[in-house]
Amino acid sequence: MGEDKTTQLPRRMTRSSASSSASTSNNVAAAKVTCLEPLTINDLLVGGDPISLNDIISSFPGRSSQILEVVRHLGPLNSPILPLFVYGSSSTGKTSIILQLFRHLNRPIVYSSCRTCYNQNILFESILNQLLLHRKNAANGYSNAKRCERPSDFVNFLREALTNVINNLKKSEKLISNEMTQGKIGNMIYLVFDNFQLVREWDKSSTILPLLFNLYDLLNMPEVGLIFISSTSPDTFYSNMGYVEPIPIYFPDYTEEDIRQILLRNQVNQKLYSSFLDVSLKSFCGITKQIDHLSAALKPLYEKYCEPLSDKGKGVAPNQEMKRRLLAHINPHIASSLNEIFKVSSLSSTEVEIRKEEKRKGNNRRLEQSEELGSLDFHVSTSAKYLLISAFLASRNPATLDASLFDSKGGSDNRKRKRKPSEKAQERKETLEQELLMKGPGTFPLERLLAIFQCLVSVAEEPSDEQEQNNDGLGVEGGNGGLMSDVLLQLSSLCNANFIFKGRSCPIEGSMRYRTTISEDLALKVARSLKFPLSKYLYRS
Amino acid sequence: MEQENYKIKAVNLLRSRICDPKFIFINESPESNHSKLKFMISSSVTEACNNSILLLGPRGSGKNAVLELVIQDLLQEYPDSISVMRLNGLLHSDDISAFKEIARQLCMEHQLLFSKAASFDDNSQFMVAMLKECGLAHKTIIFVLDEFDLFAQGKQRLLYSLLDAMQSITSQAVVLGISCRLDADQLLEKRVRSRFSHRKLLFLPPSIEDSQKLLMHMLTLPIDPSFPQDYAVEFNRKVQNIIEDRGFLETLNKYLNVDSSVKHLLRFLFCAVSRMELQTGFLSRENFEIAFSSIQRQPKLECLRNCSILELQILVCMKRLEVKEQNLCNFNSVMKEYKSTLTSERYARHVCLRAFEHLIHRELICFTDNRGQSLSVEFRPVKLLISSAELHQGLRANNSCPPKLLNLMDREG
């Protein structure tokens, strides 16, 4: 008996992690231990040490009313429930609280996340694998317990598996009542569907959604409870045939005070961090209230807040004078941090440290300038850069201006227009800006792109008259050969990198049309790296 | 500990009733659908003839529950003369699954060996053959087609084969279609409709008086040894007082005005019973009031209450663009409005873009085009999914909404 408990520990530890789905925990458990005992009915429990309701309530600040509401709806042992729909924004504790409550109540669940089970078949197989206590391993060739593609097969298998599990629960309840030592697990079993909002985007969502919402009526088994967890509200599940609505349980976003309580947990110096939140939390909550975003954004700011302190904020309780000093120190950085709140750094941690050193030395103006003049984050060939600039110009400029912009003089006609800004030109400029704002970059055929590209390359290389005459022929010779080679392959590489998009083919011309979505800033960076005068070719300038 | 036991048992009993459709729809009056349906099917069984009936009514009105009760009664009266085949349009709307399921249930019913590898033709011919055999043996097969309108989409081969087989003089079958679409028979093709008798049973939601009777039926405890006598009597007296209370009736009317189906009422009862205080062991009017407020949700208003200030600013800018009768707008035009309207405390463009994406995820705004591959988020046209009144209400309900923003909205509204 002791050996069994020892063997099951790694699986329970893995299972208690709130963020992992049952399928993932199955794989992790299988990877950790070479040879595991066969699964039993106890593996449907969340596992872990017993936890009291008060512990759960104190673990989740601001959630006591929601926790009590879920407990009341789950009801006493062996009490049937109508389907529940738990919804709220991201990072509001829905999944964590549900799993911790089932750990507290010690009742069997079948947990499936519609993110890891990303289509109908995988969801069906995951549920049946758990109910049939099946673990995929090398012995069975990593196959599922049942193969079912049709909903009708799934419901038949599901009803059969649930009946077996419920009968086993009733038998084990009789045994347990004789022993009177362990806590009762009852004969109810709960199917939990997490990240349920993702089902709306599945291929067969118009049939799978009514099926899952009506699963309670289809099964007609009072011992089965259904719980849907979604980050969008019930009204976003559109259906033209209707279904009986589950009971809604709403998890509102955290208030600012709740967020303060949550962020204060696990902080070494509570008072210092509290004074830091006094000056920063309100500003950041104006942008977003999601805990994960706030936690990531405030962490580097807190480190900067603690810089003047000798011990980096480990043990000292701040007095009024120290608070004023720290406030003066951090104030200039709050505004810039606000605008960095959603950025995901692409630098490695080592480079981040180097950047920190550089930032300490330079002043604010240098920071702004260096960010503006920042080099490209990627490397492409010179030919691809010219091709990218050509695509940008082809998308942004109307085709009617090509003749004047891309002649052999290299855009000199543009200067004439600058001297005579007539009223019509001004109106056209505003109309074009509005159109660009609304419709975005236009599409262009391949021929136009290649023509612009050839013109830019010719201007860049300043070819002699002899080479120009050679270009009149079909073959490409001389110095232009370097940049012009493999231009179609470069184009397909840019398409694969999502710098250029290939659109639908035009039914009349029969050729592909392309579009580029790079921003003007990126185009300017590319042009600057080539020392190319991009602004001369932009119509707006 | 003993006291806790019978109070918990009371909660479990009430919850079991609410979750049991058969307990709710027991109604033996001659005018009820229960009696009518029982008479129709019973006549078909005794007179050895075919029949087809449509049960129509909104969702939650008890079509399936009443049918199950009738079948239960008939199986007691004619144990050897009835077989029941149950299909559901959500599972068996394609003909292959339907015929396979009929074959599977026929094999289970008659202890025959079911072959999963049987083909479509094998299964359909098997069904026709079994209908003949059962007819010769004076046995009636009852086909229950739940979500009947889903069977009517597609080629309707199941319906045609089934109703065509019933044309023969030897078969005895009753086809029961259950649907929430009143035009379910209009969906049938001509060849199928001509073989379908147009008997319909309408299931209507109960009146307010019937709902009150149903409440008494659902919420009172039996006076028998399973509960202490004085507890059960006091419990039922309190329930009677609650149901007769004027304030409670107002709440109930408000709730049922939205949807008066029985299942909608059961959701309300489930929430109220779940909140029963286990210390006192009695239901209170407060349980029902809290249940009412918790089950009546306003998701858009909840979303707005959760929005950050930046997200609210973006919504107000979109509303301003809408008021200017700018039909299409995208992130770029919203940003243009944002920069011209809000002069203080402006955020970087990419921060606004992420807030914009949060609004899309919350479904307060949505894309209006279907193609999404080639255009980046900034250029895709979007529209608001909330009305001006909702936005007004949301701004006032949001605790952190600055008064400046509210004034801006008032000026436009």
Side-chain angles (χ1 to χ4, degrees):
Chain A
M1 199 60 187
E3 290 181 358
D4 288 341
K5 288 184 178 178
T6 306
T7 307
Q8 287 179 357
L9 271 181
R11 180 167 157 74
R12 284 182 178 176
M13 299 290 289
T14 308
R15 185 67 183 267
S16 63
S17 172
S19 60
S20 72
S21 73
S23 301
T24 307
S25 65
N26 270 327
N27 293 331
V28 172
K32 282 183 178 177
V33 187
T34 306
C35 180
L36 285 172
E37 297 284 334
L39 296 174
T40 66
I41 210 82
N42 287 323
D43 287 293
L44 292 176
L45 303 172
V46 173
D49 294 330
I51 186 172
S52 72
L53 191 60
N54 286 333
D55 285 345
I56 298 179
I57 290 175
S58 59
S59 293
F60 294 95
R63 283 286 172 250
S64 57
S65 61
Q66 283 80 36
I67 290 170
L68 293 175
E69 189 172 357
V70 175
V71 169
R72 287 196 205 99
H73 281 91
L74 292 178
L77 199 67
N78 297 333
S79 187
I81 65 167
L82 295 178
L84 305 181
F85 192 92
V86 179
Y87 71 102
S89 300
S90 304
S91 308
T92 49
K94 306 183 291 295
T95 304
S96 303
I97 285 172
I98 294 292
L99 291 179
Q100 293 303 307
L101 282 178
F102 276 106
R103 176 181 166 199
H104 156 67
L105 297 168
N106 204 43
R107 299 181 189 177
I109 67 167
V110 173
Y111 175 92
S112 300
S113 169
C114 298
R115 191 180 297 279
T116 48
C117 307
Y118 53 86
N119 65 28
Q120 178 174 293
N121 292 8
I122 297 179
L123 178 67
F124 291 167
E125 286 156 5
S126 168
I127 293 170
L128 293 176
N129 281 346
Q130 296 179 63
L131 280 172
L132 297 168
L133 307 175
H134 176 80
R135 182 188 288 128
K136 294 193 267 188
N137 49 38
N140 54 47
Y142 298 103
S143 62
N144 293 303
K146 296 282 185 178
R147 192 183 77 95
C148 58
E149 294 167 4
R150 299 178 184 277
S152 54
D153 293 334
F154 169 66
V155 171
N156 287 335
F157 288 142
L158 181 65
R159 190 181 283 114
E160 188 180 328
L162 286 167
T163 303
N164 285 335
V165 169
I166 289 162
N167 289 338
N168 287 335
L169 289 168
K170 288 175 177 175
K171 290 178 186 175
S172 63
E173 192 179 28
K174 291 180 181 177
L175 293 179
I176 289 175
S177 65
N178 289 335
E179 294 178 7
M180 296 291 288
T181 52
Q182 299 180 14
K184 296 184 177 179
I185 64 177
N187 50 34
M188 286 278 302
I189 185 163
Y190 301 84
L191 308 183
V192 180
F193 298 88
D194 200 0
N195 291 303
F196 195 64
Q197 76 281 354
L198 298 174
V199 181
R200 298 174 301 163
E201 294 147 25
W202 288 4
D203 277 345
K204 301 173 181 174
S205 66
S206 63
T207 56
I208 185 69
L209 273 176
L211 168 65
L212 293 177
F213 277 129
N214 283 291
L215 195 58
Y216 178 76
D217 289 328
L218 284 170
L219 294 173
N220 197 23
M221 304 172 77
E223 297 93 354
V224 179
L226 294 174
I227 299 173
F228 303 101
I229 304 176
S230 168
S231 63
T232 60
S233 49
D235 63 320
T236 61
F237 289 80
Y238 310 111
S239 172
N240 61 353
M241 60 178 289
Y243 46 82
V244 180
E245 296 182 13
I247 307 286
I249 298 178
Y250 176 54
F251 276 58
D253 273 13
Y254 292 110
T255 63
E256 209 171 294
E257 184 54 38
D258 294 335
I259 292 171
R260 168 186 289 272
Q261 294 294 321
I262 291 167
L263 292 175
L264 267 169
R265 301 169 67 87
N266 303 326
Q267 293 294 334
V268 178
N269 195 330
Q270 296 270 306
K271 291 183 178 177
L272 185 65
Y273 199 82
S274 183
S275 61
F276 165 70
L277 288 180
D278 288 341
V279 302
S280 59
L281 188 58
K282 193 171 188 60
S283 302
F284 280 82
C285 281
I287 297 180
T288 183
K289 292 180 182 175
Q290 287 192 27
I291 287 284
D292 47 356
H293 288 147
L294 289 172
S295 181
L298 290 171
K299 183 174 162 60
L301 198 64
Y302 182 59
E303 289 172 2
K304 182 159 286 296
Y305 184 78
C306 297
E307 272 176 5
L309 301 178
S310 56
D311 60 347
K312 300 299 176 184
K314 291 287 173 72
V316 180
N319 53 32
Q320 208 62 29
E321 169 58 29
M322 191 180 296
K323 281 185 184 178
R324 240 179 274 117
R325 268 179 52 219
L326 295 176
L327 176 60
H329 175 71
I330 200 64
N331 250 344
H333 302 282
I334 290 181
S336 60
S337 272
L338 285 172
N339 283 326
E340 303 243 340
I341 188 169
F342 292 123
K343 269 189 176 176
V344 180
S345 178
S346 62
L347 305 172
S348 64
S349 56
T350 307
E351 292 181 16
V352 168
E353 290 295 327
I354 295 174
R355 284 291 179 92
K356 285 181 180 178
E357 292 294 331
E358 288 175 354
K359 282 188 179 180
R360 283 172 197 163
K361 294 175 183 175
N363 54 34
N364 284 337
R365 287 187 181 179
R366 276 194 184 177
L367 282 177
E368 290 174 7
Q369 286 177 4
S370 67
E371 281 182 9
E372 269 189 35
L373 298 172
S375 60
L376 292 175
D377 292 329
F378 57 92
H379 174 78
V380 291
S381 63
T382 303
S383 168
K385 285 178 181 175
Y386 274 109
L387 196 57
L388 197 54
I389 290 173
S390 306
F392 176 75
L393 293 173
S395 281
R396 299 303 172 103
N397 288 349
T400 50
L401 299 182
D402 282 359
S404 58
L405 284 174
F406 301 109
D407 58 7
S408 59
K409 297 179 183 176
S412 59
D413 284 352
N414 203 18
R415 296 165 191 159
K416 294 182 180 179
R417 285 205 174 82
K418 284 185 180 178
R419 295 171 190 172
K420 305 176 181 178
S422 64
E423 287 186 4
K424 283 190 177 180
Q426 197 71 20
E427 283 182 8
R428 281 178 68 189
K429 182 180 176 183
E430 288 180 3
T431 306
L432 187 65
E433 277 189 11
Q434 183 70 20
E435 190 172 306
L436 181 65
L437 201 71
M438 282 309 301
K439 298 184 178 178
T443 59
F444 51 87
L446 178 62
E447 290 78 13
R448 185 174 170 224
L449 173 66
L450 293 180
I452 295 174
F453 172 74
Q454 184 166 348
C455 185
L456 296 191
V457 169
S458 301
V459 169
E461 285 203 335
E462 297 177 350
S464 63
D465 290 340
E466 289 181 0
Q467 287 172 344
E468 265 189 348
Q469 288 172 3
N470 286 337
N471 281 334
D472 292 340
L474 289 178
V476 177
E477 298 175 6
N480 285 343
L483 287 181
M484 289 291 292
S485 66
D486 294 328
V487 62
L488 292 183
L489 286 180
Q490 304 266 11
L491 178 62
S492 70
S493 295
L494 290 174
C495 288
N496 285 337
N498 286 334
F499 285 117
I500 295 175
F501 288 92
K502 197 185 294 185
R504 305 189 210 100
S505 60
C506 180
I508 298 174
E509 299 176 15
S511 61
M512 302 298 289
R513 291 189 75 87
Y514 297 85
R515 174 208 308 269
T516 182
T517 57
I518 62 171
S519 61
E520 190 168 334
D521 293 340
L522 182 58
L524 283 170
K525 283 184 183 179
V526 174
R528 194 173 297 114
S529 69
L530 295 170
K531 297 175 184 175
F532 179 82
L534 181 66
S535 55
K536 286 171 58 180
Y537 291 88
L538 281 177
Y539 173 66
R540 294 187 300 189
S541 305
Chain B
M1 198 58 196
E2 285 184 359
Q3 286 196 351
E4 284 286 321
N5 272 344
Y6 70 80
K7 290 170 183 174
I8 290 176
K9 199 158 70 167
V11 171
N12 277 357
L13 177 67
L14 297 185
R15 285 169 64 119
S16 298
R17 287 176 177 175
I18 291 168
C19 297
D20 182 12
K22 294 191 179 71
F23 184 85
I24 301 153
F25 290 100
I26 293 178
N27 188 356
E28 294 284 353
S29 76
E31 294 305 315
S32 69
N33 281 331
H34 183 120
S35 301
K36 291 176 185 173
L37 186 59
K38 188 174 173 183
F39 176 77
M40 288 183 196
I41 303 179
S42 184
S43 301
S44 304
V45 173
T46 55
E47 295 170 19
C49 61
N50 297 310
N51 210 339
S52 50
I53 306 164
L54 268 182
L55 313 184
L56 304 173
R59 294 199 175 276
S61 56
K63 306 185 288 295
N64 243 306
V66 168
L67 177 59
E68 290 300 319
L69 286 168
V70 167
I71 288 175
Q72 200 170 267
D73 291 350
L74 293 174
L75 283 174
Q76 288 180 19
E77 287 187 35
Y78 313 97
D80 297 323
S81 303
I82 288 176
S83 297
V84 184
M85 304 290 125
R86 291 183 175 82
L87 281 85
N88 191 294
L90 290 168
L91 304 175
H92 314 112
S93 57
D94 64 299
D95 299 316
I96 296 174
S97 295
F99 279 112
K100 185 178 171 185
E101 181 66 18
I102 289 176
R104 191 188 73 92
Q105 293 190 30
L106 282 170
C107 289
M108 258 176 44
E109 185 80 14
H110 299 88
Q111 285 87 46
L112 301 174
L113 191 65
F114 173 64
S115 170
K116 292 184 181 178
S119 70
F120 172 82
D121 286 330
D122 292 338
N123 286 330
S124 59
Q125 288 165 23
F126 176 67
M127 181 190 78
V128 174
M130 284 298 292
L131 275 170
K132 287 181 181 176
E133 287 297 319
C134 289
L136 293 176
H138 293 294
K139 192 158 189 176
T140 302
I141 303 186
I142 298 177
F143 290 91
V144 179
L145 305 182
D146 203 351
E147 310 290 347
F148 183 81
D149 47 295
L150 295 183
F151 288 104
Q153 292 164 25
K155 295 181 180 177
Q156 304 183 7
R157 277 190 292 186
L158 169 72
L159 295 177
Y160 179 73
S161 298
L162 192 55
L163 297 171
D164 192 53
M166 288 161 61
Q167 299 290 304
S168 74
I169 54 179
T170 58
S171 69
Q172 287 178 226
V174 179
V175 173
L176 291 147
I178 303 172
S179 179
C180 58
R181 290 184 62 160
L182 295 183
D183 62 343
D185 58 336
Q186 303 300 318
L187 302 175
L188 302 175
E189 294 175 1
K190 283 185 180 178
R191 57 173 188 163
V192 178
R193 196 186 312 163
S194 62
R195 288 169 166 80
F196 201 91
S197 70
H198 297 289
R199 300 176 190 234
K200 295 179 190 173
L201 270 182
L202 279 185
F203 285 71
L204 299 176
S207 65
I208 190 69
E209 291 80 15
D210 289 341
S211 295
Q212 286 177 262
K213 290 176 192 170
L214 185 63
L215 285 174
M216 288 298 297
H217 173 63
M218 298 297 299
L219 296 178
T220 49
L221 298 179
I223 312 293
D224 60 29
S226 57
F227 292 102
Q229 171 105 6
D230 48 350
Y231 170 73
V233 168
E234 180 68 9
F235 188 96
N236 294 348
R237 191 185 64 81
K238 284 187 185 299
V239 165
Q240 181 95 33
N241 289 343
I242 290 169
I243 292 174
E244 290 169 358
D245 183 85
R246 184 184 302 146
F248 171 80
L249 289 178
E250 283 176 13
T251 301
L252 186 67
N253 268 313
K254 254 191 283 183
Y255 184 75
L256 293 179
N257 280 342
V258 173
D259 180 355
S260 50
S261 66
V262 173
K263 191 149 264 188
H264 194 61
L265 178 63
L266 294 182
R267 289 168 76 242
F268 177 55
L269 297 190
F270 180 83
C271 287
V273 169
S274 301
R275 286 177 163 77
M276 191 174 100
E277 285 290 330
L278 287 182
Q279 293 176 359
T280 65
F282 294 114
L283 282 168
S284 67
R285 229 202 89 189
E286 191 184 51
N287 297 144
F288 291 91
E289 297 295 331
I290 295 176
F292 177 72
S293 60
S294 82
I295 205 168
Q296 294 287 92
R297 286 287 164 189
Q298 292 178 286
K300 292 301 190 224
L301 198 59
E302 288 159 357
C303 268
L304 285 165
R305 195 182 285 118
N306 285 336
C307 283
S308 64
I309 295 172
L310 176 56
E311 288 161 0
L312 293 176
Q313 287 168 351
I314 290 174
L315 288 173
V316 169
C317 289
M318 289 187 71
K319 179 55 66 177
R320 284 169 61 90
L321 289 174
E322 199 174 274
V323 169
K324 294 175 182 176
E325 296 185 11
Q326 191 165 333
N327 291 325
L328 279 182
C329 65
N330 58 14
F331 178 70
N332 286 329
S333 51
V334 172
M335 283 307 295
K336 193 178 174 186
E337 180 74 16
Y338 175 73
K339 285 169 182 171
S340 65
T341 304
L342 301 163
T343 52
S344 65
E345 205 184 52
R346 284 207 302 253
Y347 298 105
R349 180 184 171 89
H350 72 273
V351 174
C352 296
L353 185 59
R354 286 297 297 264
F356 187 79
E357 286 168 352
H358 285 169
L359 292 172
I360 292 171
H361 181 72
R362 293 182 194 270
E363 300 223 3
L364 291 171
I365 64 181
C366 76
F367 294 123
T368 55
D369 59 347
N370 285 325
R371 59 188 177 98
Q373 293 302 318
S374 57
L375 270 177
S376 54
V377 175
E378 302 112 79
F379 295 109
R380 293 183 67 185
V382 289
K383 67 178 179 182
L384 268 175
L385 291 176
I386 49 174
S387 61
S388 288
E390 279 173 317
L391 187 49
H392 261 101
Q393 217 175 335
L395 290 177
R396 291 201 183 85
N398 194 300
N399 290 326
S400 48
C401 177
K404 216 184 312 179
L405 202 59
L406 204 51
N407 292 336
L408 200 64
M409 190 63 196
D410 286 334
R411 205 184 315 152
E412 288 300 321

